[in-house]
Amino acid sequence: MSHKHLKEAFISNLNGTSLVEISLGLSLAPLCLLCRGLLLILYHLHYGKPLSSRKYNLLLDFLVLVSPLVLSCTVLSPIIFFVPIIIAVFCAGIFSKIYSQRKHESRVPFRQIVREFQKTYLDPEYIPAITVFRVYVNLLTSISILAVDFPQYPRRYAKAETYGTGVMDLGVGAFIFGNALVCPEVRQKSYVTQAKFSNLAKQFFSVWPLIFLGVGRLLSVKSIEYHEHTSEYGVHWNFFFTLAFVRLAASLLLAIFPKNKSWIIAIHLAVFYQLLLNTTSLKMFILHGSNGRDTRVGFLNANREGLVSLLGYLAVYMASVQVGLCLLKCRNSVRSWMEAARLLLLTALLLFLLLHVSQAQADAVSRRMANLSYCLWVLAHSLTFFTWFVVTDLLLVFTKLLVKGSSVPSCWNVVKPPDSGTRHKTEAVPTGREGKLAHMCLISAINQNQLLFFLLANVMTGAVNILIDTIHSETAFTLCILHLYMFLNCLIMYILHAKNIVLKFW
């Protein structure tokens, strides 16, 4: 067997892992974010100022926000059930230290602090959980696309062949979910008929980088005979094409139908697609080709997974647009966001129940087909993941109230109440050079150039696979390569952010 075929076999015929393990794994990112925020607040409590060094900010962010994720999907994967508990206990210890050491004049009864916290007003113009969700999906994807080629990455985390719930299967859907949360249709307040079709024209222009990247990936993979998993999207198709066509199709639907009814469109698409899979020969076509022998002759046969699954991904996108619209409603207080978090969790619970029914009555989860069960699974876990970030932000806001003047980057700012006479004036945020350094963080750096970050990760992944025999790598070497790969990618984003460079030209 050639080295290329060996690598292809290494990532093929897998069955995924359990929903419980994925849920526990997803709790790591919010806990890491909470830990980073608490450490910054503790530093401010001790020194009376924020951490004012770009070098140390980058080092702290990488060690706390990124490195635990690399370790959790490699050497710590056998004890993944204990890792969130350990981090949660560490966070509780930091919070206890902050609460016990805050200044004497700020000491008030705990119940009064809770009451004041619930009445606190937050900046309504910025929802940090959306940014953090999208950045972490990008980070987790970037780690996984290289780590999956090393033996230390558990095979159960990789993409399942046909049926199954692997971590990487969720990553694809979560990418769609995150893109829909910030699509123009969600961010646009007024949406008259002319604006709808004007936006549609803009969308046709804005997706050309995705088409360009898709073509670039196709040509580079074929020219260097890079290993690829054909049953993932097909012979010529890839995720860049999927993302581009889903965005275009969604813009067309939202130009025709009211955007606040996008959830109804999502239900109709997902159910109709599942009926087609169950009542026609479409499922057999996806799995075995038109001749039943896995033929790849002709464009449709060659790319059947990528083309047919567009319906499922479009359903996920349309449902996510509805989530984005709900999130952007005027919520400017802690109490309202606590209610929103409760509603999101209840919705996620309902989706998990529907997932159970769908798997029992219709079909098991299949990323390859993007069937109804897959759509429900992606939406349920994405909503849960997002809600944990909302809860994390609220916990950090509560802790910031204990230490006056403290700030945490990529977290909510406390503002004056709407009836105080000043419009959304931010409280307790450092100004000048110190304030700028305090808000220099890896999350905002990656957010500023997300597509570039993902592109760099893909290019570096290819370079590592060409230069290194990943399949036979030792554990220490694997960890060094993965950390170096992620650090270089993060460092480039951090430097661009420090120089305020956004590489977006479309």
Side-chain angles (χ1 to χ4, degrees):
M1 186 181 290
S2 68
H3 191 65
K4 176 189 174 185
H5 291 142
L6 190 64
K7 285 197 171 186
E8 288 173 352
F10 191 58
I11 57 175
S12 301
N13 302 312
L14 305 172
N15 299 312
T17 184
S18 66
L19 299 184
V20 175
E21 184 170 14
I22 292 176
S23 298
L24 282 170
L26 290 179
S27 69
L28 286 177
L31 285 170
C32 290
L33 188 70
L34 178 62
C35 182
R36 190 278 302 257
L38 292 174
L39 286 172
L40 289 173
I41 295 172
L42 182 63
Y43 182 92
H44 190 282
L45 178 63
H46 276 287
Y47 296 99
K49 61 179 182 179
L51 181 62
S52 57
S53 167
R54 286 179 176 172
K55 179 174 64 176
Y56 290 131
N57 265 301
L58 174 60
L59 188 62
L60 175 67
D61 282 358
F62 185 80
L63 291 178
V64 179
L65 300 181
V66 180
S67 188
L69 303 181
V70 175
L71 296 173
S72 67
C73 67
T74 50
V75 293
L76 295 182
S77 58
I79 57 168
I80 192 66
F81 287 86
F82 299 102
V83 176
I85 298 173
I86 295 169
I87 299 177
V89 170
F90 184 66
C91 289
I94 300 173
F95 177 81
S96 177
K97 193 174 182 66
I98 292 171
Y99 185 77
S100 62
Q101 292 188 7
R102 59 203 173 98
K103 292 181 180 178
H104 178 73
E105 58 266 22
S106 65
R107 295 200 177 196
V108 291
F110 188 78
R111 287 185 179 180
Q112 184 178 337
I113 297 173
V114 173
R115 284 197 296 269
E116 291 177 0
F117 168 66
Q118 291 179 337
K119 297 175 183 176
T120 300
Y121 282 86
L122 306 170
D123 184 0
E125 304 298 325
Y126 174 56
I127 303 174
I130 293 179
T131 299
V132 175
F133 175 91
R134 298 180 73 239
V135 167
Y136 257 111
V137 168
N138 221 326
L139 278 169
L140 290 166
T141 303
S142 299
I143 292 169
S144 296
I145 60 175
L146 178 58
V148 71
D149 295 315
F150 290 90
Q152 289 76 18
Y153 188 86
R155 296 301 91 192
R156 66 184 185 277
Y157 289 179
K159 287 178 181 176
E161 184 68 27
T162 300
Y163 294 103
T165 52
V167 176
M168 294 184 72
D169 293 311
L170 177 62
V172 177
F175 226 103
I176 297 284
F177 181 91
N179 272 268
L181 291 182
V182 296
C183 70
E185 292 84 1
V186 170
R187 290 184 278 114
Q188 210 169 342
K189 293 180 181 178
S190 60
Y191 208 60
V192 294
T193 304
Q194 289 122 349
K196 288 182 180 182
F197 289 99
S198 171
N199 178 69
L200 181 60
K202 290 179 181 177
Q203 281 290 79
F204 269 97
F205 178 73
S206 67
V207 300
W208 76 262
L210 294 173
I211 302 292
F212 177 77
L213 292 174
V215 172
R217 188 185 190 282
L218 171 64
L219 294 176
S220 60
V221 166
K222 299 301 181 184
S223 62
I224 63 175
E225 295 189 349
Y226 190 76
H227 66 278
E228 53 185 331
H229 195 185
T230 304
S231 65
E232 186 177 348
Y233 295 106
V235 178
H236 312 104
W237 203 263
N238 57 59
F239 184 64
F240 290 114
F241 293 140
T242 293
L243 192 55
F245 279 91
V246 164
R247 282 181 58 179
L248 288 176
S251 294
L252 180 61
L253 288 174
L254 292 169
I256 299 171
F257 300 102
K259 63 178 181 178
N260 60 351
K261 303 296 183 183
S262 57
W263 65 278
I264 298 176
I265 301 171
I267 292 173
H268 279 82
L269 280 171
V271 173
F272 173 71
Y273 177 43
Q274 187 61 53
L275 286 173
L276 285 178
L277 290 173
N278 284 5
T279 60
T280 69
S281 59
L282 183 61
K283 184 191 295 187
M284 293 302 294
F285 170 70
I286 297 173
L287 299 181
H288 305 294
S290 58
N291 66 350
R293 298 179 183 177
D294 201 28
T295 178
R296 293 287 174 180
V297 177
F299 183 78
L300 284 177
N301 273 305
N303 303 286
R304 55 183 184 267
E305 292 90 352
L307 292 170
V308 180
S309 64
L310 286 173
L311 279 173
Y313 288 121
L314 182 57
V316 172
Y317 192 97
M318 296 301 291
S320 306
V321 167
Q322 189 70 55
V323 176
L325 292 171
C326 293
L327 292 175
L328 290 186
K329 286 181 180 177
C330 188
R331 300 183 190 276
N332 59 354
S333 68
V334 166
R335 192 185 300 274
S336 64
W337 272 105
M338 290 173 69
E339 292 172 359
R342 192 181 305 117
L343 177 62
L344 288 171
L345 281 178
L346 287 174
T347 305
L349 179 60
L350 174 61
L351 289 170
F352 276 120
L353 290 174
L354 292 173
L355 171 61
H356 178 74
V357 174
S358 176
Q359 292 204 100
Q361 302 298 324
D363 213 353
V365 173
S366 173
R367 184 257 327 143
R368 186 175 178 182
M369 291 183 279
N371 57 3
L372 175 62
S373 294
Y374 177 78
C375 296
L376 291 170
W377 175 58
V378 165
L379 289 169
H381 263 122
S382 295
L383 279 176
T384 306
F385 194 38
F386 177 82
T387 306
W388 292 146
F389 284 126
V390 173
V391 173
T392 299
D393 282 331
L394 292 174
L395 290 172
L396 289 175
V397 169
F398 179 81
T399 312
K400 286 198 296 182
L401 294 176
L402 299 177
V403 183
K404 299 298 180 183
S406 61
S407 64
V408 178
S410 299
C411 177
W412 261 310
N413 289 324
V414 176
V415 298
K416 297 283 188 183
D419 57 354
S420 64
T422 54
R423 179 178 171 81
H424 304 320
K425 184 179 178 182
T426 303
E427 292 182 336
V429 177
T431 57
R433 179 178 179 272
E434 190 176 77
K436 185 178 180 181
L437 288 174
H439 288 81
M440 270 294 298
C441 80
L442 192 57
I443 290 171
S444 55
I446 295 173
N447 181 59
Q448 196 171 24
N449 285 289
Q450 286 213 47
L451 187 57
L452 177 64
F453 180 83
F454 187 58
L455 177 60
L456 275 176
N458 276 270
V459 171
M460 284 199 243
T461 296
V464 170
N465 271 280
I466 291 170
L467 297 172
I468 296 172
D469 180 11
T470 56
I471 297 179
H472 302 103
S473 296
E474 297 292 333
T475 300
F477 181 73
T478 297
L479 292 178
C480 287
I481 291 295
L482 289 175
H483 276 90
L484 181 61
Y485 151 80
M486 286 305 297
F487 185 76
L488 285 175
N489 211 343
C490 291
L491 179 62
I492 293 170
M493 297 301 106
Y494 202 79
I495 292 171
L496 291 175
H497 183 51
K499 296 182 178 298
N500 200 28
I501 298 174
V502 180
L503 296 180
K504 184 175 181 179
F505 43 87
W506 56 91

